[in-house]
Amino acid sequence: MSIVPGTKLGRYEIRLKIGAGGMGEVYRARDTQLGRDVAIKVLPSTFSVDHDRLRRFEQEACAAGALNHPNILVVHDINAHDGASYVVSELLEGETLRKRISGTPLGQRRAIDYALQIANGLAAAHEKGIIHRDLKPDNIFITNDGRVKILDFGLAKLTQADGEQAQTDVPTRRVDTDSGVVMGTVGYMSPEQVRGQKVDQRSDIFSFGAILYEMLSGRRAFHGQSAADTMSAVLKEDPSELSDTNKTVSPALERLVNHCLEKNPEGRFHSARDLAFALETIAGVPTTSDQTLTAVTAVPARGWTSRKFPWLIAAALGVLLLGTVPFIWNYFRPARQVQTAEQSRFIVSLPDKAVTIGPPVVSPNGRWIVFRLNTEDRRELLWARALNSLELQPISGTEGGAQPFFSPDSRSIAFFAGGKLKRVDISGGPPQNICDVPTPNNAGGTWNNNGLILFAQAPTDGLYRVSAAGGTPVRITEVDASHDEVGHAWPYFLPDGRHFLYLVRNTQPEKSAVYIGLLDSKETKRLVQVHSSMAFARPGYLLFVRDDTLMAQPFDAERLELTGEQFALAEQTSRNPVNGRAFFSVSDNGVLVVRTGELVLNKLIWFDRTGKQLGAITKEGTYNAPALSPDEKKVAVRRLDFQATLAADIWVIDLERGTETRLTFDPATDSMPGWSPDGNWITFVSTREGSTRLYQKRANGSGAEETLGTSEQAKASPDWSHDGKFLLYGQMNPGTIWDLFVLPLSGDRKPQPVVQTNFVEIHGRFSPDGRWIAYSSNESGQFQVYVQSFPPSGSKWPISIDGGAQPRWRGDGRELYYFTPDRKLMGVEVNGGSDKFQVGEPKPLFELRVRGAGIDVGFPGSGYYTVTRDGKRFLVASSAEVPEKQEITVILNWLTRLNQ
């Protein structure tokens, strides 16, 4: 029975029915929490008693949910409603490959494009031990922007990585005898599937070959009047030669199809990766060279020909090399020329269990990709890959580096690390300091042909310029708080090197917009309302991300005007909804790199000192900076409520009742809560007046927010002294970066600095007796935890050894905790009973799974955990598990699709 529009399935509201199949009905729905449209496949409750059907349905969800690849349907959720199971996935706009073919052959280039995407998706599934087993044109979807998505893992067989042990026992084949029913599945089965034998990934490769054959010929490879006839053809017959049905198919591509359709699995490609590599090779060689390829591959490696006529082999190889030269030149020719080659794409695989922290960045000449990577050994630095190589290489001297951007000649990269803007040659060598920056939370940079760098040193500040050779930064844009501006971010130079694009962040992120600025001028121009970083792509397009889709819009860089409508380039493009950073980059010669994926969600979870989970207190969401109330009955936390706004607010969680209550409602971003000692007030910082200022509000939600202090400098991490007399907080200052100040809460209420140097001091916390202050500083080159007396006497004691931040005290003041760059929570016994502070040896307690680490631990807004007074339980904003393998998509000649 169909579900009526308007019905709620958890947080999903059904909009309309869009399809039905043997495994259930499909609906368009709205995710009311994340504010996006999704597809929901529902297994009718009348079928839930059919255990085999239910098992297959659940297996489809588990198999697809285990995968994270741009060419595989993204599964968001699996649940049940009124006895009916349902799977929530991304909503696709387009058509199936079956409909796209419709009995008509596709062009060779388009068929190879689709085939390569299918092969990459299969490779990702096979590497997870998942075999599709029901691959057919009906289960291949082509989105409106040309992205191929593999659907329906309902018959998938999950195996161990070695393929020897099945985790499920779903039947390997579906054999219906009604004419016209079986052709959609039986005609694509491998011979071993038809026989009911054990299958491995080579079975999918056979099905792939049948699909590619159909794309190139317009007709099915194996077709009979009945299921028995079709299965007999699969077992005993070969399809007609492709060259007989389509004269334009190259011999090399026909050989590849035949290789896939070998009856014996040993005769096929042994992996989808090998298959994809072969397709890339064919795609990269012009069709006119295919005869040369045939000649070369026909020459035996040993015997009469090689002995008698070695010159023949040399000549053939020489002709082959000449055939590939146009492709090589077309790709690596000067950047300002427009590409005309066929679009192709491939995946950059990262090391196992690696975590990409920042977005990928491609060099202007399209030869290099650089991104920030945290590897298994917890080394966090920038890595590079040349596009003509399969190897990743770390860039020496970039430890803790973030937000890299290239020089115009593609020889150097600039990046932020250790409170400085630095540069390093891509070929190697020691890094050079360009200038100081006030905070690790920088917001990008750009480099023009005149050796000038424009950068955003913080999301809540304006833009600065500095010489790439080094110097003192000069502010060039001012944040206009009267128009609800929060900060300027993600600058991007236009080709003339004088005008630049940048994001003006608004207190309400949905009102943020891309502007055009001009060096040495206050002149600005509003271009498009969007909360995203941007890029200019030659010959004339503005690229940005709206929601989770990479968009392009024609843009005249000389007249500085948009000249056409927006259109989609890539779905599921990652973007940070808080600061607007979109995870894509484009070169001057048509190379586009994209990292796909959604915002990483987290939960507030209790842990004991050994790292054992004691239970979650929230569902998945976006939480940060939890703070326990003095009586430990409530938690104040920053939370993003996607259903209401893209900005963050302060929420209070009642630990006894399990309720969450929103404390702040301003459309600006509120964060970093802290409790007064009596539990009656909650302090926090907010961007509501244009700069990040301190506020307080009654913990029960009554009354209005009150401003604390009047200075416009950005504030962070407020903490009350236990006697209620002082408020400790971080403050950004142009001359001294970040300092620690105390605000007396009585008398003249005049703030006074307590730790002020030329480095970053942040995360200040009063000891329980009020005699000491623990804080983080990067004065040694990396963030470490220190303790100094209060009032300050000039003495301080180092607490951490190998990096640390976010210190917290035990209730008796005899132990300090802190977080390390390699995601470990440390404990240190301390004794502040005398004038000389005593420090024990730091000991690791357990490792946390949180977003970011490395330099991020020193970010003023960071707050991963809070601890009970007895030091026995830790409440952590714990992230969902990071996928074992993450990927970056590289698209060559992305403009080609616009001309098709």
Side-chain angles (χ1 to χ4, degrees):
M1 184 170 114
S2 297
I3 299 178
V4 178
T7 302
K8 288 288 189 68
L9 274 63
R11 75 191 202 202
Y12 308 101
E13 181 179 339
I14 298 296
R15 295 290 174 87
L16 74 158
K17 184 177 178 179
I18 57 177
M23 292 301 296
E25 298 177 330
V26 183
Y27 296 84
R28 186 186 188 110
R30 184 68 173 175
D31 184 337
T32 57
Q33 180 174 334
L34 297 183
R36 63 182 176 189
D37 287 341
V38 296
I40 294 184
K41 180 183 283 189
V42 181
L43 185 67
S45 56
T46 54
F47 290 165
S48 295
V49 296
D50 184 340
H51 297 296
D52 180 69
R53 185 188 293 266
L54 180 60
R55 180 173 59 177
R56 286 170 52 193
F57 183 86
E58 292 175 344
Q59 187 171 348
E60 174 186 353
C62 292
L67 303 171
N68 180 18
H69 191 274
N71 297 123
I72 296 175
L73 180 74
V74 177
V75 172
H76 301 309
D77 193 12
I78 177 173
N79 217 317
H81 176 75
D82 290 341
S85 298
Y86 64 88
V87 168
V88 183
S89 65
E90 62 180 326
L91 181 66
L92 301 178
E93 301 286 350
E95 61 186 357
T96 65
L97 181 59
R98 168 75 65 208
K99 186 174 181 181
R100 180 65 61 91
I101 297 174
S102 299
T104 303
L106 303 179
Q108 177 170 311
R109 290 182 176 180
R110 189 175 298 276
I112 292 177
D113 180 22
Y114 293 165
L116 186 56
Q117 295 185 62
I118 297 170
N120 284 327
L122 282 179
H126 292 170
E127 289 170 3
K128 292 285 189 180
I130 298 174
I131 304 169
H132 192 286
R133 291 157 49 103
D134 194 24
L135 203 63
K136 55 188 177 183
D138 311 79
N139 286 336
I140 304 296
F141 196 93
I142 312 297
T143 66
N144 289 335
D145 68 342
R147 173 71 62 85
V148 172
K149 294 280 187 176
I150 303 176
L151 314 178
D152 199 349
F153 280 79
L155 291 181
K157 178 181 179 183
L158 277 69
T159 64
Q160 300 294 340
D162 59 8
E164 294 180 359
Q165 181 180 358
Q167 295 175 348
T168 64
D169 191 25
V170 175
T172 59
R173 57 184 175 141
R174 185 176 76 211
V175 182
D176 301 323
T177 57
D178 295 336
S179 178
V181 175
V182 300
M183 316 314 287
T185 296
V186 176
Y188 303 92
M189 285 182 176
S190 65
E192 56 268 31
Q193 269 185 295
V194 172
R195 295 189 181 99
Q197 297 173 341
K198 182 178 179 180
V199 300
D200 59 19
Q201 60 191 29
R202 292 171 296 182
S203 179
D204 280 352
I205 290 175
F206 184 95
S207 303
F208 172 94
I211 294 171
L212 182 52
Y213 181 96
E214 191 168 341
M215 283 195 286
L216 294 168
S217 68
R219 65 187 189 186
R220 300 182 186 182
F222 305 101
H223 183 80
Q225 296 300 315
S226 67
D229 292 339
T230 303
M231 289 190 292
S232 177
V234 169
L235 292 172
K236 301 176 181 179
E237 300 174 8
D238 291 325
S240 301
E241 295 294 330
L242 273 173
S243 54
D244 292 340
T245 61
N246 188 341
K247 301 296 184 182
T248 65
V249 175
S250 70
L253 186 56
E254 185 171 16
R255 286 194 303 275
L256 182 145
V257 173
N258 293 337
H259 194 26
C260 293
L261 292 176
E262 288 287 345
K263 306 296 185 185
N264 186 345
E266 292 296 328
R268 301 173 206 148
F269 289 96
H270 281 221
S271 75
R273 285 292 180 203
D274 293 342
L275 174 59
F277 182 81
L279 283 166
E280 287 179 354
T281 302
I282 294 173
V285 179
T287 305
T288 54
S289 300
D290 287 330
Q291 296 297 332
T292 304
L293 280 173
T294 304
V296 173
T297 56
V299 175
R302 297 171 180 264
W304 181 84
T305 304
S306 59
R307 290 196 306 268
K308 298 293 185 179
F309 296 97
W311 59 269
L312 180 62
I313 300 176
L317 289 174
V319 175
L320 172 63
L321 179 59
L322 289 175
T324 62
V325 165
F327 169 75
I328 296 173
W329 166 248
N330 189 52
Y331 179 68
F332 287 108
R333 65 184 173 175
R336 293 182 182 273
Q337 299 187 31
V338 179
Q339 292 286 355
T340 59
E342 178 70 7
Q343 182 186 107
S344 61
R345 66 180 67 201
F346 62 89
I347 302 297
V348 176
S349 295
L350 306 179
D352 290 342
K353 297 182 180 178
V355 181
T356 52
I357 306 299
V361 179
V362 64
S363 60
N365 63 11
R367 299 185 185 185
W368 292 93
I369 301 175
V370 170
F371 47 86
R372 184 179 175 195
L373 187 65
N374 190 332
T375 56
E376 222 174 352
D377 60 4
R378 302 307 183 190
R379 292 185 64 210
E380 188 171 301
L381 66 166
L382 299 180
W383 288 63
R385 172 180 159 171
L387 291 192
N388 61 353
S389 171
L390 296 179
E391 295 185 0
L392 295 175
Q393 60 185 54
I395 304 176
S396 178
T398 62
E399 286 77 8
Q403 305 297 351
F405 54 95
F406 274 91
S407 61
D409 61 8
S410 302
R411 296 179 179 178
S412 303
I413 55 169
F415 61 96
F416 300 88
K420 296 183 182 297
L421 175 61
K422 302 182 179 184
R423 60 179 290 181
V424 66
D425 289 343
I426 192 71
S427 58
Q432 304 172 29
N433 293 333
I434 297 176
C435 65
D436 292 330
V437 292
T439 171
N441 186 30
N442 48 74
T446 183
W447 194 333
N448 72 6
N449 283 308
N450 296 323
L452 189 68
I453 286 178
L454 189 63
F455 71 99
Q457 62 181 9
T460 56
D461 199 357
L463 301 179
Y464 293 76
R465 70 177 186 182
V466 67
S467 169
T472 301
V474 177
R475 185 195 297 268
I476 64 168
T477 69
E478 297 281 350
V479 176
D480 186 355
S482 66
H483 287 81
D484 297 326
E485 293 183 8
V486 176
H488 301 164
W490 318 120
Y492 197 100
F493 271 120
L494 290 173
D496 65 6
R498 298 174 55 248
H499 290 91
F500 55 89
L501 306 168
Y502 65 106
L503 177 66
V504 175
R505 297 178 60 240
N506 194 277
T507 56
Q508 301 179 58
E510 61 271 17
K511 294 184 179 180
S512 298
V514 173
Y515 277 69
I516 300 174
L518 176 64
L519 294 176
D520 302 319
S521 172
K522 298 297 183 180
E523 176 186 350
T524 64
K525 180 179 181 179
R526 191 174 186 272
L527 199 58
V528 60
Q529 183 171 311
V530 68
H531 186 57
S532 170
S533 58
M534 76 308 294
F536 172 77
R538 300 176 189 272
Y541 291 92
L542 178 70
L543 271 56
F544 53 89
V545 170
R546 188 177 296 282
D547 295 326
D548 60 353
T549 301
L550 178 60
M551 307 293 292
Q553 188 167 3
F555 173 67
D556 189 324
E558 294 184 357
R559 293 191 299 162
L560 305 177
E561 294 179 355
L562 294 168
T563 58
E565 297 298 319
Q566 301 174 13
F567 56 91
L569 288 180
E571 299 173 344
Q572 297 297 322
T573 303
S574 298
R575 178 180 63 94
N576 186 319
V578 179
N579 61 28
R581 182 59 158 114
F583 285 28
F584 77 92
S585 179
V586 64
S587 74
D588 290 342
N589 60 348
V591 179
L592 177 66
V593 294
V594 180
R595 181 182 169 199
T596 60
E598 299 177 341
L599 177 70
V600 177
L601 302 179
N602 60 13
K603 298 179 182 179
L604 292 180
I605 302 176
W606 282 111
F607 293 85
D608 67 12
R609 290 177 66 91
T610 67
K612 178 183 177 181
Q613 288 194 26
L614 303 178
I617 68 168
T618 67
K619 297 179 180 180
E620 281 195 340
T622 306
Y623 300 92
N624 184 261
L628 274 170
S629 62
D631 61 7
E632 300 188 348
K633 294 181 179 180
K634 297 180 180 179
V635 175
V637 66
R638 188 206 75 169
R639 172 184 158 188
L640 265 70
D641 184 7
F642 290 100
Q643 185 173 352
T645 177
L646 288 176
D649 286 287
I650 306 300
W651 291 67
V652 177
I653 302 172
D654 190 314
L655 297 178
E656 294 179 338
R657 300 175 56 200
T659 58
E660 295 185 34
T661 304
R662 186 172 173 180
L663 184 72
T664 63
F665 294 85
D666 193 277
T669 295
D670 303 328
S671 59
M672 293 177 262
W675 293 83
S676 63
D678 59 10
N680 291 331
W681 295 86
I682 293 178
T683 55
F684 59 94
V685 299
S686 176
T687 60
R688 61 189 61 188
E689 295 182 58
S691 61
T692 309
R693 299 188 180 187
L694 292 170
Y695 297 82
Q696 69 175 5
K697 187 173 183 178
R698 290 194 177 275
N700 61 10
S702 64
E705 292 89 347
E706 300 178 10
T707 305
L708 297 173
T710 58
S711 67
E712 295 184 358
Q713 284 83 3
K715 312 292 192 301
S717 303
D719 182 61
W720 294 68
S721 63
H722 287 247
D723 58 10
K725 295 181 178 180
F726 299 96
L727 189 67
L728 177 67
Y729 59 93
Q731 178 172 297
M732 189 173 73
N733 293 289
T736 55
I737 314 182
W738 277 91
D739 305 314
L740 288 180
F741 277 72
V742 291
L743 174 69
L745 297 176
S746 61
D748 61 5
R749 299 172 69 93
K750 182 179 180 180
Q752 298 291 334
V754 291
V755 186
Q756 189 172 38
T757 70
N758 291 324
F759 303 98
V760 174
E761 288 89 26
I762 201 64
H763 299 153
R765 287 294 182 270
F766 278 113
S767 63
D769 62 8
R771 298 181 57 201
W772 311 97
I773 291 175
Y775 64 97
S776 309
S777 173
N778 68 342
E779 66 176 58
S780 67
Q782 70 174 142
F783 280 96
Q784 302 281 6
V785 174
Y786 299 87
V787 167
Q788 77 161 36
S789 61
F790 180 77
S793 63
S795 298
K796 65 180 179 182
W797 292 264
I799 304 299
S800 60
I801 297 175
D802 296 319
Q806 303 178 32
R808 301 289 186 269
W809 296 86
R810 196 168 71 192
D812 59 5
R814 302 300 295 270
E815 190 175 26
L816 264 173
Y817 312 100
Y818 63 90
F819 190 74
T820 68
D822 59 357
R823 298 182 175 85
K824 288 185 176 63
L825 190 64
M826 307 291 289
V828 183
E829 292 185 358
V830 295
N831 188 346
S834 62
D835 292 338
K836 185 177 181 180
F837 197 80
Q838 298 178 0
V839 182
E841 180 181 354
K843 297 179 180 179
L845 300 180
F846 57 95
E847 187 171 326
L848 304 184
R849 190 169 63 236
V850 296
R851 286 191 67 194
I855 198 171
D856 288 333
V857 301
F859 166 43
S862 295
Y864 298 141
Y865 74 101
T866 186
V867 58
T868 56
R869 289 191 305 272
D870 59 12
K872 294 182 179 181
R873 294 186 301 148
F874 299 82
L875 187 61
V876 182
S878 184
S879 297
E881 188 153 5
V882 175
E884 291 185 1
K885 208 169 190 64
Q886 298 185 68
E887 297 172 329
I888 294 169
T889 301
V890 180
I891 304 173
L892 306 179
N893 308 309
W894 69 272
L895 278 169
T896 303
R897 189 176 302 280
L898 304 184
N899 300 320
Q900 295 178 345

